[in-house]
Amino acid sequence: MNKYISDKNFLAGIIFFFVALFYLVNAFLIETKDLVSVEADFMPKIYGSLLLFSSIILTITSFFKIKTKSSEELKKKTDWQRIFSVIGLIFVYVLLMQYLGFISTSIPFLFLLSLLLTPQYVKKVYWIYAVFSIVLPIIAYHIFSYYLNLTMPSGLLF
């Protein structure tokens, strides 16, 4: 039993299962007027269902992986330095976004995040990280600004 609780994926699956249940119950409590076919409760029900389904799949797959793993593989250490680096990077990203804007902060954020989250055994391909880091914020900015008419934080350059 202890090996199941210590597995991050299994534990995350269980936690998100209950989060999804809570979310779905509240999504069904959203008041609707039946004026249009798609009401305010439609997307929360979709998101809650997808989260519930994903958490069940994660729990089941991690359960079977734990059964086949040896005790040596289960004793891997958590990379706390990488975790705190990502949290710090997110904190700096949020702080700088209001001053520098969405695009100007998202490009270095995504590049550094790609570097941090790439496992040590995988060769880092910097040009792919750079292209991804430049293209994704620009596309997201244009979609949110021009198609969804949502204001994105603008800064020095954008």
Side-chain angles (χ1 to χ4, degrees):
M1 184 65 177
N2 191 24
K3 64 182 178 179
Y4 293 107
I5 293 174
S6 65
D7 184 67
K8 290 176 252 181
N9 287 333
F10 186 79
L11 193 59
I14 297 295
I15 290 170
F16 280 107
F17 175 79
F18 289 110
V19 168
L21 280 179
F22 177 76
Y23 187 83
L24 267 175
V25 167
N26 286 307
F28 279 99
L29 294 176
I30 295 174
E31 224 176 281
T32 58
K33 306 280 188 217
D34 292 326
L35 298 173
V36 292
S37 60
V38 178
E39 294 267 346
D41 65 338
F42 178 72
M43 287 310 290
K45 288 177 183 175
I46 296 292
Y47 292 149
S49 301
L50 288 173
L51 183 60
L52 185 68
F53 180 72
S54 300
S55 66
I56 291 170
I57 297 296
L58 180 62
T59 305
I60 291 171
T61 55
S62 61
F63 176 79
F64 288 117
K65 282 184 183 178
I66 292 170
K67 280 183 124 178
T68 61
K69 280 185 180 179
S70 67
S71 61
E72 299 278 327
E73 291 175 319
L74 292 173
K75 293 182 182 177
K76 290 182 183 175
K77 289 188 175 184
T78 304
D79 190 0
W80 290 107
Q81 181 181 5
R82 186 178 291 185
I83 291 171
F84 288 123
S85 297
V86 169
I87 291 171
L89 187 61
I90 292 171
F91 182 72
V92 170
Y93 172 67
V94 170
L95 284 178
L96 291 179
M97 188 183 303
Q98 62 185 337
Y99 301 111
L100 301 177
F102 177 75
I103 294 177
S104 302
T105 54
S106 294
I107 291 172
F109 171 73
L110 288 174
F111 185 78
L112 293 172
L113 194 64
S114 299
L115 291 176
L116 277 172
L117 295 179
T118 302
Q120 299 296 332
Y121 57 87
V122 175
K123 183 182 177 207
K124 295 180 180 174
V125 186
Y126 296 103
W127 70 270
I128 291 177
Y129 298 159
V131 169
F132 168 77
S133 300
I134 293 169
V135 170
L136 186 67
I138 293 171
I139 290 173
Y141 182 83
H142 286 288
I143 288 173
F144 280 98
S145 296
Y146 299 112
Y147 296 110
L148 299 175
N149 292 325
L150 296 173
T151 306
M152 299 298 285
S154 53
L156 299 174
L157 301 175
F158 301 101

